Amino acid sequence: MTERYVLDLQEVDETQVAVVGGKGAHLGGLSRIEGIRVPAGFCVTTDAFRRIMAEAPSLDDRLDQLSRLNPDDREAIRTLSAQIRRTVEGIAIPGDLAAVITRALAQLGGQAACAVRSSATAEDLPTASFAGQQDTYLNVVGPTAILQHVSRCWASLFTERAVTYRQRNGIDHRTVHMAVVVQRMVFPHASGILFTADPVTGNRKVATVDAGFGLGEALVSGLVNPDVFKVRHGEVVAKAIAAKQRAVHALPTGGTQEVAIDSRRQEQPALTDAQVVRLVQLGRRIEAHFGRPQDIEWCLVDDGFQIVQSRPITTLFPIPETGDQEHHVYVSVGHGQMMTDPMKPLGLSMWQLTAMVPMHTAGGRLFVDVTRRLASPASRAGLLDVVGRGDPLIRDALETVLDRDDFVPSLPDAGPGGPPAGGASATIETDPAIVTELIERSQESIAALERDIRTKTGPALFDFLLEAFEEHKRVLSDPLSMQAIMAGMEATWWLNDTLQEWLGEKNAADTLTLSAPDNVTSEMGLALLDVADVIRPHSEVVAFLQGVEDEGFLDELAKLTGGAEARDAIEAYLDRYGMRCVGEIDITRPRWRERPTTLVPVILDNVRNFEPGAAERRFEQGRQKAQKKEQDVLSRLRALPDGDRKADEAKRMIDRVRTFIGYREYPKYGIVSRYFVYKQALLEEAERLVQANVLPEKEDIFYLTFQELHDVVRSNQVDGPLIQQRKDAFRSYHALTPPRVLTSDGEAVTGAYRRDDVPAGALIGLPVSAGTIEGRARVILDIAEADLEAGDILVTTFTDPSWSPLFVGIAGLVTEVGGLMTHGAVIAREYGLPAVVGVERATRLIRDGQRIRVHGTDGYVEILP
């Protein structure tokens, strides 16, 4: 019985997290790797912790109270967690448990100095590092002191920081237990941290070593700047030696103290290059054992390295799996689709099955492998041109990779190149009937899908859907549709480039495209203003909507005065646009039709901020502005040498852009309309699986790929642990920032704007909608929490079409992601909003409520005092 309270590190491996916690399990695993030295020690197991917790029944009530607290209620968490810690520290360790720990200590040498270290069961996991959540005590001498510090480690499971971290990550306090590692203390000459992948760039081929004199606490606590070495392919490729003025040393009587370092030693490297290379070799061995990049704490003792901890680096973006050893360059799909959040497995696989090019997944995001297109000069030029017009940061990142001569192979020009710029639309007439025909074709195809899918269930549904995906791709790749999209985009580029050359005017197309016809996304924003017009006169309805929380509110509405008209107006809106939502390329995201409460705050903002008839007025004002601009441009052109020819050419392009630019938004509307039909059919299947007790809940299907779901429907059997594993992974992906460009070495290449025409301190981005506006920044990450006043400037990570209802009420737009032709940019131009997109870290650098100035013509944002 007593043996379960203590295990020697040599008896432990990484499968025993439940018994010895994350740190103990990793140390046990480390001690089994050939050539890796770990200081001798033992683990006080989680059984001991559970026994201590059982000694104080009052802890149960307090843990209940704790789990009910809001993670943001810092004061209440601080008070309650302190009470729990005091209670745990005050519990006397039962005699038999104390005797077992003391016996294990005698094996280490009874009066030997030890490190006493917390090791929680939810710590150093692949998906959550919990680094620094619990406590470590160094140089503890003698059994009495060690038992006291074991109690402190148990109590440290309830530090304010650890409690808040668990609440935010949805981890139940009762499911986490605390083991304690007791190891013989080492007194190093130097110590530090080794990352087996570069923690900044993510490059898996570059290891980084941070080193300082004495104990590692000096580095971890930020007391000194470390020496930093970078090692690639077994050699030091970069180093920066810091002036290390202080170190932490152990005291003979126990505990540690800061000491000053002799001025002659301060600038000496803590390690020689040969030692750094040897350390990295050990790190590679550890990385191979655990199967992923590691963050390793090391000590140098008498010219030998001892490893005191290793944990996964959780901040690295995963690399798409290819199964080969070749170099690959990947471009993020999410940055082009305005959706950089992680997607669930069903969402990823549905997009892959309906996309026009093969896509790879990593970190819950989609990527396209562009290596072959970069490898041949002709396709490379076309790719860089198209990408550069859309997002200059992606172009710059790709050029950065190309500058490394050895990374992208060179292929002859026979590689698969894109169509030559301008070639795709050369044959199409400027005829509005083309757009009308394309929209009708799309609507007919969707109507046929809705009709034919009704009778399909079980495996037959999946066979039907695979055929529907082929039709989906056929509609998307319709040559006429592609030509119409390209015609609008190329006319925009022509107008911007040529009018700048002829008239010295930047981004003239931004005004010329105001209120262009047939733009389903801008119509969606204006249509919600019309809904507000129906609701505004009925104060009872407005009051009711202000308190709405339940998705069934539309049925309740009809009981109020004016409620029936309000409900009909919202229902009609949902019939046309209810398939849309934020992040709509992920089929698993809740649609407005499924969650109509999402629209309520936007409707209420419209009721408050606008007068009746605003939609029609807005559209008409835009149309007149565009018309006036056209007359102005043409008359100025006619005054130039060869002016009649120039004016005729410009007029032809203006007509072309107004005919086709609105259609740019339609294919996405078609995709999302089809998606909603697929989703409803799949959820009906999920409902059957729930009825048959195959699945606990419908939404579990979102964590399976399309093919896996097909198999479940065929076999009526599901892999429950796989779904749980996918849920945990999905949660962890939220913490990762997807890179615009990613290499097969794991390097995230961000790209930069190469510009010197911007005031100091301004945030640089891409100018996508002309004009300058000053106003209050509203940093909004969730459309449901939008609370906008007229004149506000929306600052967010990305906007897809579902955000356009907010655009009618704002004065300007700043986003972190986006390009010249992405949805936010197109709609900003439609509504005449100055907009700058692709502003790195905008939502972190601009604070909610700050005054900012958006330079939509020149592409930068100033934060005003």
Side-chain angles (χ1 to χ4, degrees):
M1 175 74 186
T2 50
E3 277 64 41
R4 285 180 29 217
Y5 292 139
V6 166
L7 289 171
D8 191 277
L9 274 181
Q10 300 284 337
E11 301 174 71
V12 174
D13 66 23
E14 54 270 34
T15 61
Q16 288 164 276
V17 172
V19 184
V20 294
K23 190 175 295 160
H26 268 84
L27 283 167
L30 280 167
S31 64
R32 290 160 176 251
I33 306 171
E34 197 178 331
I36 302 296
R37 289 163 59 201
V38 174
F42 61 88
C43 299
V44 181
T45 66
T46 51
D47 284 344
F49 172 76
R50 273 192 285 269
R51 175 149 172 212
I52 290 296
M53 293 293 281
E55 298 277 325
S58 67
L59 284 170
D60 254 5
D61 295 341
R62 291 206 174 135
L63 287 179
D64 281 344
Q65 280 174 270
L66 197 57
S67 57
R68 286 197 294 271
L69 292 178
N70 180 327
D72 295 323
D73 190 346
R74 303 277 298 274
E75 196 51 48
I77 288 177
R78 185 176 300 131
T79 308
L80 194 50
S81 58
Q83 285 174 7
I84 294 171
R85 284 198 306 281
R86 277 198 301 275
T87 306
V88 174
E89 281 188 45
I91 297 168
I93 299 179
D96 60 327
L97 176 50
V100 178
I101 297 172
T102 310
R103 261 204 308 280
L105 260 178
Q107 304 276 299
L108 286 182
Q111 290 301 313
C114 290
V116 183
R117 315 171 72 190
S118 308
S119 178
T121 52
E123 180 180 39
D124 297 348
L125 306 177
T127 55
S129 82
F130 286 73
Q133 294 291 318
Q134 281 91 31
D135 295 349
T136 284
Y137 301 97
L138 298 179
N139 201 28
V140 184
V141 180
T144 310
I146 282 171
L147 288 172
Q148 187 187 2
H149 285 84
V150 167
S151 284
R152 283 190 188 163
C153 285
W154 287 329
S156 75
L157 190 62
F158 302 103
T159 61
E160 184 189 343
R161 197 172 53 208
V163 165
T164 307
Y165 187 93
R166 289 196 292 273
Q167 311 241 131
R168 288 196 192 290
N169 285 277
I171 296 165
D172 180 353
H173 301 298
R174 292 169 190 286
T175 61
V176 184
H177 299 117
M178 180 65 84
V180 182
V181 176
V182 180
Q183 280 176 290
R184 188 175 288 138
M185 186 72 193
V186 289
F187 301 101
H189 159 72
S191 58
I193 297 167
L194 156 64
F195 298 97
T196 63
D198 188 317
V200 179
T201 67
N203 194 325
R204 310 304 202 261
K205 300 277 172 69
V206 175
T208 302
V209 175
D210 290 3
F213 294 123
L215 291 167
E217 295 308 289
L219 303 191
V220 176
S221 63
L223 183 65
V224 297
N225 288 328
D227 297 338
V228 181
F229 302 85
K230 293 199 181 290
V231 176
R232 187 186 177 102
H233 301 318
E235 62 176 309
V236 175
V237 291
K239 61 180 161 184
I241 306 305
K244 300 168 287 296
Q245 292 166 347
R246 308 190 73 69
V248 174
H249 283 188
L251 292 168
T253 52
T256 61
Q257 81 176 93
E258 276 178 41
V259 294
I261 294 175
D262 182 321
S263 59
R264 285 165 304 191
R265 275 186 70 214
Q266 286 180 6
E267 307 226 359
Q268 281 184 351
L271 294 178
T272 65
D273 283 10
Q275 286 171 329
V276 170
V277 169
R278 195 162 85 233
L279 175 60
V280 170
Q281 285 168 346
L282 296 176
R284 292 280 175 232
R285 206 176 285 180
I286 294 169
E287 178 182 65
H289 175 83
F290 289 119
R292 54 193 305 151
Q294 297 288 302
D295 159 354
I296 297 164
E297 291 179 30
W298 56 268
C299 294
L300 178 65
V301 189
D302 304 330
D303 202 40
F305 285 104
Q306 299 216 20
I307 305 299
V308 292
Q309 187 155 339
S310 183
R311 62 167 80 91
I313 308 176
T314 55
T315 53
L316 297 176
F317 201 87
I319 306 171
E321 286 174 23
T322 54
D324 64 34
Q325 295 303 306
E326 306 293 311
H327 286 170
H328 295 271
V329 183
Y330 302 97
V331 170
S332 160
V333 172
H335 285 80
Q337 289 294 339
M338 298 297 90
M339 162 62 178
T340 52
D341 290 349
M343 294 166 69
K344 295 191 180 106
L346 186 64
L348 291 166
S349 71
M350 292 289 278
W351 193 261
Q352 285 173 302
L353 285 164
T354 52
M356 305 309 299
V357 292
M359 291 186 179
H360 303 264
T361 65
R365 277 75 166 193
L366 291 162
F367 293 87
V368 174
D369 186 343
V370 295
T371 321
R372 284 192 66 81
R373 290 188 66 182
L374 287 176
S376 86
S379 60
R380 178 190 310 152
L383 175 70
L384 291 175
D385 183 51
V386 170
V387 161
R389 284 187 183 277
D391 185 334
L393 290 176
I394 293 183
R395 177 180 182 136
D396 189 75
L398 290 175
E399 287 175 335
T400 303
V401 176
L402 285 166
D403 286 345
R404 298 173 192 158
D405 301 333
D406 57 341
F407 198 82
V408 176
S410 265
L411 294 175
D413 269 344
S425 58
T427 55
I428 191 173
E429 291 296 311
T430 302
D431 179 1
I434 293 174
V435 173
T436 311
E437 183 195 335
L438 284 167
I439 290 173
E440 280 170 5
R441 276 192 212 173
S442 174
Q443 287 173 337
E444 281 165 17
S445 172
I446 292 163
L449 172 68
E450 286 174 327
R451 186 182 64 239
D452 297 344
I453 205 168
R454 280 187 198 130
T455 55
K456 307 291 188 287
T457 61
L461 169 68
F462 287 81
D463 296 338
F464 171 81
L465 281 172
L466 287 170
E467 287 172 33
F469 298 162
E470 291 311 306
E471 164 69 2
H472 180 124
K473 288 198 270 195
R474 193 194 63 70
V475 172
L476 265 188
S477 60
D478 178 342
L480 190 63
S481 176
M482 306 288 270
Q483 287 174 325
I485 292 168
M486 286 311 294
M489 283 166 47
E490 283 164 4
T492 304
W493 297 335
W494 187 95
L495 285 167
N496 280 340
D497 295 348
T498 311
L499 295 181
Q500 181 154 10
E501 187 189 325
W502 288 347
L503 298 175
E505 182 164 345
K506 282 185 181 175
N507 303 350
D510 294 359
T511 312
L512 293 165
T513 52
L514 287 170
S515 299
D518 297 311
N519 187 321
V520 69
T521 309
S522 61
E523 286 165 8
M524 178 170 80
L526 296 173
L528 207 58
L529 287 175
D530 291 336
V531 173
D533 284 354
V534 174
I535 289 167
R536 193 178 291 105
H538 305 293
S539 54
E540 207 181 330
V541 172
V542 174
F544 170 78
L545 288 176
Q546 280 162 344
V548 157
E549 285 177 5
D550 182 358
E551 297 303 342
F553 75 94
L554 287 169
D555 298 333
E556 297 295 307
L557 255 186
K559 300 171 188 169
L560 308 173
T561 309
E565 298 108 286
R567 184 196 58 196
D568 292 349
I570 294 172
E571 284 284 1
Y573 186 86
L574 289 171
D575 287 343
R576 176 105 210 259
Y577 303 111
M579 77 295 284
R580 308 219 84 149
C581 67
V582 173
E584 60 194 9
I585 71 167
D586 181 353
I587 198 170
T588 73
R589 289 283 191 109
R591 311 282 134 178
W592 290 344
R593 171 52 84 191
E594 296 168 308
R595 203 174 281 175
T597 53
T598 312
L599 291 173
V600 170
V602 192
I603 294 171
L604 289 170
D605 279 351
N606 288 349
V607 166
R608 190 176 71 240
N609 294 335
F610 291 93
E611 297 294 317
E616 201 176 331
R617 273 199 309 281
R618 286 290 294 268
F619 190 79
E620 188 50 34
Q621 281 162 0
R623 207 179 59 75
Q624 285 177 12
K625 240 187 199 171
Q627 212 169 1
K628 192 158 163 277
K629 182 70 172 177
E630 177 180 329
Q631 289 161 355
D632 168 55
V633 163
L634 296 179
S635 68
R636 282 160 64 202
L637 285 173
R638 286 198 186 95
L640 297 175
D642 197 15
D644 285 350
R645 179 189 64 79
K646 287 175 175 165
D648 287 349
E649 265 190 75
K651 171 66 177 149
R652 210 167 54 247
M653 284 301 179
I654 292 168
D655 289 349
R656 200 163 173 76
V657 84
R658 289 195 70 78
T659 299
F660 292 116
I661 202 66
Y663 178 71
R664 161 81 181 80
E665 291 292 296
Y666 202 85
K668 182 85 168 263
Y669 177 77
I671 290 172
V672 175
S673 301
R674 299 178 76 87
Y675 256 31
F676 194 40
V677 181
Y678 306 152
K679 181 180 189 178
Q680 288 170 303
L682 290 173
L683 281 174
E684 281 174 27
E685 284 304 309
E687 185 56 52
R688 272 189 280 279
L689 292 168
V690 170
Q691 297 300 326
N693 292 322
V694 176
L695 283 178
E697 48 193 53
K698 278 197 304 194
E699 280 74 20
D700 283 352
I701 67 165
F702 297 160
Y703 296 94
L704 298 170
T705 65
F706 180 81
Q707 190 52 56
E708 288 165 349
L709 178 54
H710 190 175
D711 294 341
V712 170
V713 167
R714 259 205 309 260
S715 66
N716 264 354
Q717 287 179 314
V718 73
D719 181 345
L722 175 71
I723 288 179
Q724 189 51 51
Q725 191 188 325
R726 296 262 177 88
K727 286 180 178 177
D728 294 342
F730 177 70
R731 196 163 41 226
S732 76
Y733 294 152
H734 281 278
L736 300 173
T737 303
R740 282 178 163 80
V741 170
L742 178 67
T743 73
S744 46
D745 283 352
E747 184 178 0
V749 193
T750 43
Y753 293 106
R754 313 280 171 189
R755 291 177 54 188
D756 50 15
D757 58 343
V758 168
L763 310 181
I764 302 177
L766 185 63
V768 295
S769 185
T772 302
I773 191 76
E774 215 175 275
R776 177 177 72 152
R778 294 309 317 270
V779 180
I780 295 172
L781 303 178
D782 179 352
I783 192 172
E785 282 161 23
D787 177 15
L788 295 161
E789 301 287 343
D792 282 349
I793 297 168
L794 173 63
V795 180
T796 188
T797 40
F798 59 81
T799 62
D800 59 12
S802 71
W803 287 74
S804 62
L806 293 187
F807 282 26
V808 297
I810 56 175
L813 173 71
V814 179
T815 68
E816 294 182 347
V817 175
L820 205 55
M821 284 296 166
T822 47
H823 303 276
V826 172
I827 305 307
R829 290 194 289 271
E830 284 271 323
Y831 289 163
L833 300 174
V836 180
V837 302
V839 180
E840 286 279 86
R841 299 175 55 238
T843 58
R844 281 171 256 175
L845 296 171
I846 299 170
R847 286 199 314 278
D848 188 49
Q850 269 184 324
R851 284 194 72 73
I852 60 173
R853 190 181 294 129
V854 177
H855 296 262
T857 310
D858 294 314
Y860 64 92
V861 180
E862 289 178 282
I863 298 175
L864 302 175

